[in-house]
Amino acid sequence: MLKVTETEQVEFPAAMISEFETIVQRYPEGKQKSALLPLLHLVQAEYGWLSTASMDRVAGYLDIHPIEVYEVASFYTMFFLKPQGKFVLEVCRTGPCCLVGAEKIMKHIEVTLGVKEGEVSEDGMFSWRGVECLAACGMAPVLQIGPDYTFYENLTEESVNQLIKDLKNKI
Amino acid sequence: MSEKVKVTIDGITVEVEPGTSILNAARQIGGDIVPPAMCYYSKLEGSGGKCRTCLVKVSKGSEKDPRPMPKLVASCRTGVMDGMEVENITSPEVIEARKGVVEMLLINHPLDCPICDQAGECHLQDLSYEHGVEKTRYEFERRTFDKIDIGDKIQLHMTRCILCYRCVYVADQITNNRVHGVLGRGDASEISTYIEKAIDNDFSGNVIDVCPVGALTDRTFRFKNRVWFTKPVDAHRDCPTCKGEVTLWYKGEEVLRVTGRKDQFGEVADFICNTCRFETKKTSDWVIEGPRHIAKTSVISSNHYEMAKPLDVIKHNPILIEANKEEFERATKI
Amino acid sequence: MARKLLLEHINVPGIHTFDVYRQKGGYRSVEKALKTMSTDDVVEEVKKSGLRGRGGAGFPTGMKWSFLAKPEGKARYLVCNADESEPGTFKDRHLMTYLPHLLIEGMIVSSYALGAATSFIYVRGEMMPQIRILEKAIAEAKNAGFLGKNILGSGYDLELHVQPGGGAYICGEETALIESLEGKRGNPRIKPPFPAISGLYGCPTVVNNVESIAAVVPIINDGGDEYAKIGIGRSTGTKLISASGNLNKPGIYEIDLGLPVEEFIYSDEYCGGIANGKRLKAVVAGGSSVPILPANLILKTLTGESRLMSYESLAEGGFQSGSMMGSGGFIAFDEDQCIVRNTWNFSRFYHHESCGQCSPCREGTGWMEKVLHRLEYGHGKMSDLDLLVDVSKKIEGNTICPLGDAAAWPVASAIRHFRDEFEWHVTNPSDALNRNYGIANYADPLPKLEEIS
Ligand SMILES: Cc1cc2nc3c(=O)[nH]c(=O)nc-3n(C[C@H](O)[C@H](O)[C@H](O)COP(=O)(O)O)c2cc1C
Ligand code: SF4
Ligand code: FES
């Protein structure tokens, strides 16, 4: 499902370019660089990660140096600079979630999926990682799945099992 | 002309243009009371504020508003006000904080000075001799990166970098195409080109001169010699790209490398072009002016590491003697 | 039951839609402000209300607004800080999910007061669903003539945009947020200049928290004086508290400032006591950055007075025996929680989130994390405790932005109040791996529910 590899050229779909255009218009003349984060989110939603080729295209579109895009993409943790599983389970691993069992949930996910944190399952379906506080501490433990960042709250081992089953059936 | 403002630093008063930073005011006074600066570079706009070695205490804000500032401030990025009073080496708090900053800068620094080309003209080396603590309390593995060549002229040894951002400003401000930058975040940040790219630009070599440590070095000079065995000589030539005023570093009859002319604060007078730096290494290319004077406090000035004598201002005050004890001890030991 | 100013209609079905929100009296403050008040009147009203910033620092909002520079021919911006990433805080998510129009209404009135023609809501990227909700709500408001050109015929124009972040706690710091909004890395700027003089695109800018902006709505509707009647002393109005951790009823509560902490924890109207019949060990009262307090000190101050949920009371005792209101992220720890592990966890958070610009924070946060990790996993030394305190001191106050302080305080306060637990980790490493130190002498002295009416 990954459409680009490091060496390939990418052509963004026309629908995406037209979304780019709407976004860029929000900012004053000459400040189009402000659109960088929203654009990178769109690109990642389309391809699952940010390849160098796609970042270069974004740079070209915004008329900035490619390094400015790399700098930004590598600063923010939501952007993946490597291919990921189709579903990336991002579990909150910060204090308040840990008070009510987030560490157990992560262990359970690791065992159930059979992949270590940050790795991709053999079938390319899943990866998972711990992320910092998702601002949902009252519904802890929680996890989210991009690109829509759907939220799953008050996790238990059972609800995680169900979720993984549902995701597997989705394709 | 605007009215000059009066500022007092460690008891010494100086009149400076409004808008001058505390650091530059101190540089106008000169001597021991100049705060060290690892990231600020007067010729690079926006630089400074990051390394925190230049922290000072503002004990009186100004004549109008005499309240002291609540925290130590970065002298390189804080403007003077009329009547301001600043404590640098006369404040135990500043000395303690600076020691802390130096310790932080060193915990992940490889301390590979014996094999580093920058040794002898490294600001971190000077800084740690003057302000550091003797022994690190850091007991974990240090952060390391692989060395990479960015093009055939410049080598990047990220492990040594202190993230002063100076080279990024150079690329932004004096070249027209920046291909390197700071990637990653926190203590995983690194200077990089992301994908392998050569920094290729008429002025790119200046990143070497602004680097306060040995992270960016001249590949054409590497391993040829230790800095303190070379003899600096000022020279110029008619250059179509830059001013052509440089320092040549000789060993015997051979020019080992060419750099910009650095002042006592380690800043070059003018940025030089790559042709002057890398391509013109014959004496016949240059008009020789005379030997370059090297600042006394630098460890280059002698062939061994000699500690500067106890600083004058602090010789008689018991609190300051206590605060500077470690430095004294080290000085007497050597 | 306390009066709700922000969450009054939160349970009304469909309140996230413009029509229902409007039926319930929504957008009255826009009509009132734009039709009957000058911009200075609005600022004055907010000043009178005594509203203090709800994002963490607690700086009076009206005063902040009055500092905004107004040079000729330069745009001014209002940016709403919805980057909510402080561990323990989730009130802004709640507001944006259920009451998006309240935030938009507040944004219109506040933008009007500041003379901004374009305003942004910077939402952390992880809150993509909330971003969609807001975008939809903005479209509805625009459709109804509350945004766009010549709002309600007043001649005032406003465009409102939602900007996503990319996953970085530091972008909650206002100058980092501005950098991020300009499409750069979220490196905090070196101040001065302050955003009020030179912020977004070098123009005068105000950055306010979601809750601060939302609170402007009741302030304009009812008047600043009315708002100031609620609360206690300089802590006026109501505040959203995000309650999490080992509580019977974690969640978002709107309280009148000045509510006793004990009542907040134990009464059924609020958190309903500690979960699973356990006892309270410690509380972090204002988000992970503020000092942690053991149960006895959070319930009562050193002078024996009961501690209240207010800026002043929570801070009473300073760093020795007090804490801070912060962003109102109230995290409760029961007797089975390990303070060392939690301190390590928080410390890892700050290490992970440090932008890496300035050396004390970049290097110091990692150092503290490593030492705490070693303590938690039974390889610590007694000298590590003093080392940690010393490193935290070397960071605190010496950095560009307050993240350095925020990383230092939890560590320093945990060691101050729970030193014996840390020491036990050193002296009993194998025990420390298998069981918890327990409640020891921090026991909540007053676990009696029935005493509270
Ligand atoms: C590291 C750091 C993170 C912050 N995170 C947030 C945040 O997530 N949300 C927020 O509203 N304010 C945050 N702040 C506070 C903001 O800098 C700023 O004070 C606030 O947005 C001002 O709004 P207020 O006056 O309405 O509180 C943070 C500050 C720091 C230093
Ligand atoms: S204190 Fe930390 S987060 Fe703030 S500017 Fe410095 S390195 Fe960045
Ligand atoms: S020189 Fe001032 S902070 Fe680095």
Side-chain angles (χ1 to χ4, degrees):
Chain A
M1 87 230 72
L2 294 163
K3 295 179 192 157
V4 278
T5 64
E6 282 297 331
T7 48
E8 262 176 63
Q9 286 288 316
V10 274
E11 253 346 296
F12 291 150
M16 197 154 111
I17 296 284
S18 85
E19 269 188 87
F20 282 12
E21 269 157 26
T22 341
I23 291 171
V24 169
Q25 272 161 23
R26 293 175 193 165
Y27 313 101
E29 192 69 40
K31 305 292 180 196
Q32 76 285 359
K33 191 178 172 185
S34 278
L36 185 49
L37 266 72
L39 261 53
L40 290 180
H41 278 300
L42 286 178
V43 175
Q44 179 159 305
E46 175 81 16
Y47 300 104
W49 66 296
L50 299 177
S51 65
T52 312
S54 61
M55 288 193 281
D56 288 353
R57 282 222 62 103
V58 171
Y61 183 82
L62 293 177
D63 197 18
I64 55 182
H65 297 309
I67 186 72
E68 297 179 66
V69 182
Y70 311 149
E71 281 184 323
V72 164
S74 64
F75 183 89
Y76 297 95
T77 51
M78 288 176 77
F79 299 121
F80 298 120
L81 298 178
K82 284 198 201 107
Q84 302 289 314
K86 183 167 166 60
F87 300 108
V88 187
L89 279 56
E90 298 182 309
V91 192
C92 174
R93 60 169 189 183
T94 314
C97 272
C98 288
L99 291 181
V100 291
E103 283 155 329
K104 252 173 46 199
I105 295 290
M106 286 199 279
K107 193 83 217 155
H108 182 72
I109 292 178
E110 178 167 359
V111 173
T112 313
L113 295 179
V115 281
K116 289 216 179 64
E117 180 167 4
E119 290 174 4
V120 185
S121 64
E122 257 168 41
D123 55 4
M125 288 299 299
F126 290 102
S127 35
W128 73 277
R129 61 171 181 166
V131 292
E132 299 299 349
C133 185
L134 292 174
C137 321
M139 297 78 94
V142 292
L143 71 75
Q144 64 179 15
I145 301 178
D148 304 325
Y149 296 92
T150 329
F151 228 69
Y152 301 87
E153 306 172 348
N154 298 316
L155 298 174
T156 58
E157 295 189 355
E158 295 72 47
S159 67
V160 169
N161 291 342
Q162 187 59 45
L163 169 65
I164 293 176
K165 214 165 105 195
D166 292 348
L167 290 174
K168 280 186 176 154
N169 288 338
K170 223 165 144 180
I171 359 111
Chain B
M1 262 241 11
S2 42
E3 289 272 305
K4 290 210 168 190
V5 298
K6 247 195 204 136
V7 49
T8 306
I9 303 172
D10 284 340
I12 305 170
T13 304
V14 64
E15 290 196 356
V16 296
E17 294 295 325
T20 309
S21 66
I22 297 174
L23 180 72
N24 282 330
R27 284 182 175 183
Q28 289 184 24
I29 298 172
D32 298 340
I33 61 117
V34 182
M38 295 294 289
C39 65
Y40 173 76
Y41 207 83
S42 64
K43 285 153 198 91
L44 297 172
E45 200 187 321
S47 68
K50 299 186 196 304
C51 72
R52 316 305 284 175
T53 57
C54 70
L55 289 175
V56 295
K57 182 172 168 169
V58 176
S59 48
K60 179 179 170 193
S62 70
E63 210 52 70
K64 265 200 221 117
D65 181 0
R67 284 176 303 168
M69 293 193 183
K71 287 184 186 178
L72 302 184
V73 298
S75 58
C76 64
R77 290 291 296 262
T78 309
V80 295
M81 303 292 264
D82 195 34
M84 183 184 264
E85 285 174 18
V86 178
E87 294 173 15
N88 178 23
I89 55 175
T90 52
S91 158
E93 201 187 327
V94 169
I95 290 170
E96 188 59 26
R98 188 165 298 148
K99 227 178 255 170
V101 172
V102 174
E103 185 175 20
M104 298 292 185
L105 283 173
L106 289 174
I107 62 172
N108 273 309
H109 193 78
L111 300 178
D112 58 350
C113 313
I115 56 154
C116 176
D117 276 345
Q118 192 88 357
E121 55 177 359
C122 171
H123 290 259
L124 189 57
Q125 208 177 16
D126 294 348
L127 188 70
S128 61
Y129 278 105
E130 281 166 41
H131 306 279
V133 291
E134 203 147 334
K135 212 169 123 238
T136 183
R137 297 178 289 171
Y138 188 71
E139 300 165 324
F140 303 92
E141 212 169 291
R142 288 165 199 267
R143 173 176 68 223
T144 54
F145 297 88
D146 291 335
K147 276 186 262 203
I148 45 172
D149 294 329
I150 20 189
D152 56 351
K153 303 289 196 302
I154 305 168
Q155 183 174 68
L156 170 62
H157 199 159
M158 182 57 214
T159 308
R160 296 175 181 150
C161 172
I162 59 154
L163 289 164
C164 69
Y165 285 59
R166 282 179 182 174
C167 61
V168 180
Y169 291 115
V170 164
D172 259 342
Q173 292 170 25
I174 63 170
T175 75
N176 52 13
N177 183 16
R178 179 159 71 89
V179 297
H180 82 290
V182 180
L183 299 184
R185 176 164 97 188
D187 62 5
S189 309
E190 57 175 315
I191 300 290
S192 166
T193 52
Y194 191 60
I195 44 171
E196 217 168 282
K197 264 185 206 160
I199 296 187
D200 189 17
N201 183 287
D202 274 352
F203 283 89
S204 63
N206 289 295
V207 298
I208 299 167
D209 280 354
V210 300
C211 182
V213 294
L216 289 163
T217 46
D218 185 341
R219 283 193 67 196
T220 62
F221 173 63
R222 297 198 62 259
F223 300 123
K224 284 217 173 123
N225 226 303
R226 307 300 296 184
V227 168
W228 56 84
F229 293 133
T230 61
K231 202 172 86 194
V233 170
D234 281 351
H236 65 263
R237 73 180 191 107
D238 209 3
C239 174
T241 325
C242 69
K243 236 177 168 180
E245 295 180 354
V246 303
T247 301
L248 306 176
W249 298 76
Y250 273 98
K251 167 135 196 247
E253 293 299 302
E254 193 191 355
V255 176
L256 291 188
R257 65 168 182 164
V258 182
T259 68
R261 289 184 189 173
K262 293 191 186 178
D263 63 14
Q264 54 177 320
F265 306 114
E267 293 191 13
V268 295
D270 292 289
F271 293 114
I272 61 171
C273 71
N274 284 5
T275 316
C276 285
R277 183 185 305 274
F278 300 121
E279 316 291 347
T280 43
K281 289 204 177 172
K282 287 200 296 288
T283 303
S284 57
D285 294 330
W286 298 96
V287 182
I288 306 291
E289 294 170 19
R292 173 121 198 113
H293 177 74
I294 300 290
K296 265 204 211 62
T297 50
S298 162
V299 289
I300 317 179
S301 57
S302 42
N303 287 353
H304 59 280
Y305 298 132
E306 183 196 316
M307 185 51 213
K309 280 195 284 302
L311 312 162
D312 273 346
V313 196
I314 50 182
K315 255 190 226 154
H316 306 293
N317 179 327
I319 301 171
L320 291 169
I321 292 178
E322 181 58 31
N324 288 281
K325 206 171 78 197
E326 273 179 57
E327 280 90 338
F328 284 157
E329 276 172 8
R330 197 168 29 233
T332 40
K333 235 189 296 179
I334 291 175
Chain C
M1 177 128 177
R3 205 178 134 217
K4 303 264 186 286
L5 297 181
L6 304 178
L7 304 185
E8 191 182 355
H9 299 301
I10 195 148
N11 291 322
V12 175
I15 193 73
H16 63 279
T17 62
F18 179 85
D19 293 339
V20 177
Y21 182 77
R22 182 88 176 120
Q23 262 166 32
K24 287 284 164 191
Y27 290 99
R28 267 184 303 142
S29 70
V30 176
E31 291 171 308
K32 183 169 173 186
L34 267 56
K35 289 185 178 161
T36 69
M37 296 168 84
S38 73
T39 56
D40 288 344
D41 291 344
V42 179
V43 176
E44 203 46 45
E45 216 52 56
V46 173
K47 266 192 185 163
K48 264 197 264 171
S49 75
L51 173 67
R52 291 168 68 174
R54 304 299 195 216
F59 192 82
T61 305
M63 193 137 52
K64 188 172 189 167
W65 287 9
S66 63
F67 290 157
L68 185 72
K70 298 188 171 155
E72 277 299 309
K74 235 186 187 177
R76 275 166 265 160
Y77 291 100
L78 170 65
V79 182
C80 174
N81 186 342
D83 189 58
E84 188 167 63
S85 319
E86 171 97 356
T89 314
F90 50 101
K91 63 192 172 70
D92 299 342
R93 168 194 290 276
H94 194 71
L95 268 182
M96 292 187 289
T97 311
Y98 298 104
L99 293 166
H101 284 286
L102 180 66
L103 174 60
I104 294 167
E105 180 176 356
M107 282 301 281
I108 301 169
V109 177
S110 310
S111 304
Y112 169 71
L114 297 169
T118 309
S119 295
F120 293 93
I121 306 176
Y122 181 98
V123 186
R124 65 179 292 185
E126 290 91 339
M127 293 194 194
M128 227 29 112
Q130 284 69 26
I131 292 175
R132 301 288 168 251
I133 292 171
L134 284 172
E135 280 172 346
K136 192 155 162 256
I138 287 173
E140 286 177 332
K142 196 164 185 175
N143 223 1
F146 283 93
L147 280 170
K149 291 250 172 281
N150 191 17
I151 298 169
L152 303 179
S154 65
Y156 175 61
D157 306 338
L158 176 66
E159 288 299 333
L160 184 56
H161 302 295
V162 187
Q163 175 86 359
Y169 165 65
I170 189 58
C171 291
E173 197 280 339
E174 52 188 10
T175 56
L177 185 146
I178 290 171
E179 285 281 295
S180 179
L181 185 44
E182 290 182 2
K184 304 183 194 151
R185 297 161 60 82
N187 286 351
R189 292 179 181 172
I190 294 146
K191 287 158 275 185
F194 289 92
I197 311 292
S198 173
L200 184 61
Y201 310 129
C203 299
T205 303
V206 166
V207 179
N208 271 132
N209 175 254
V210 172
E211 189 189 347
S212 316
I213 300 271
V216 170
V217 174
I219 289 171
I220 296 306
N221 279 338
D222 307 342
D225 289 329
E226 251 342 274
Y227 188 86
K229 279 184 197 154
I230 307 171
I232 177 165
R234 286 181 55 233
S235 300
T236 59
T238 64
K239 167 102 189 76
L240 298 181
I241 302 292
S242 321
S244 66
N246 309 113
L247 293 163
N248 269 326
K249 296 194 294 171
I252 302 291
Y253 297 98
E254 182 171 6
I255 61 158
D256 286 3
L257 284 168
L259 180 81
V261 173
E262 190 173 344
E263 186 179 339
F264 181 69
I265 300 177
Y266 291 106
S267 87
D268 281 333
E269 191 186 335
Y270 301 105
C271 305
I274 308 304
N276 305 318
K278 295 212 173 121
R279 289 187 302 166
L280 179 67
K281 178 173 183 177
V283 165
V284 171
S288 63
S289 308
V290 311
I292 188 171
L293 286 181
N296 47 11
L297 278 178
I298 187 69
L299 296 174
K300 289 211 184 324
T301 65
L302 266 193
T303 52
E305 283 162 50
S306 78
R307 214 183 268 280
L308 311 177
M309 305 282 275
S310 73
Y311 291 92
E312 291 77 19
S313 181
L314 282 174
E316 194 169 320
F319 282 119
Q320 284 312 310
S321 64
S323 185
M324 278 186 289
M325 180 91 221
S327 56
F330 193 93
I331 313 167
F333 297 72
D334 72 21
E335 55 192 290
D336 289 342
Q337 301 304 333
C338 174
I339 300 297
V340 178
R341 187 166 188 83
N342 185 72
T343 310
W344 163 62
N345 188 300
F346 280 174
S347 174
R348 182 192 59 194
F349 173 81
Y350 291 106
H351 176 206
H352 187 257
E353 299 299 332
S354 163
C355 82
Q357 242 191 133
C358 61
S359 26
C361 171
R362 176 182 67 238
E363 307 294 346
T365 50
W367 192 359
M368 290 200 300
E369 190 211 323
K370 291 192 185 92
V371 175
L372 281 160
H373 183 269
R374 157 165 103 186
L375 277 166
E376 165 63 13
Y377 285 94
H379 311 294
K381 298 187 278 194
M382 227 25 132
S383 60
D384 284 351
L385 305 191
D386 290 333
L387 176 66
L388 281 172
V389 173
D390 192 58
V391 173
S392 78
K393 272 204 207 115
K394 297 254 152 87
I395 302 175
E396 186 188 341
N398 294 338
T399 53
I400 295 176
C401 87
L403 187 135
D405 303 347
W409 291 335
V411 176
S413 62
I415 295 179
R416 185 181 313 120
H417 297 300
F418 299 89
R419 195 169 184 112
D420 43 358
E421 186 165 343
F422 281 84
E423 287 174 353
W424 179 76
H425 270 252
V426 177
T427 51
N428 302 55
S430 50
D431 274 359
L433 286 176
N434 299 317
R435 70 178 177 89
N436 276 319
Y437 186 66
I439 201 151
N441 51 3
Y442 324 114
D444 159 1
L446 309 152
K448 301 176 216 111
L449 272 171
E450 55 286 4
E451 270 190 10
I452 303 144
S453 55

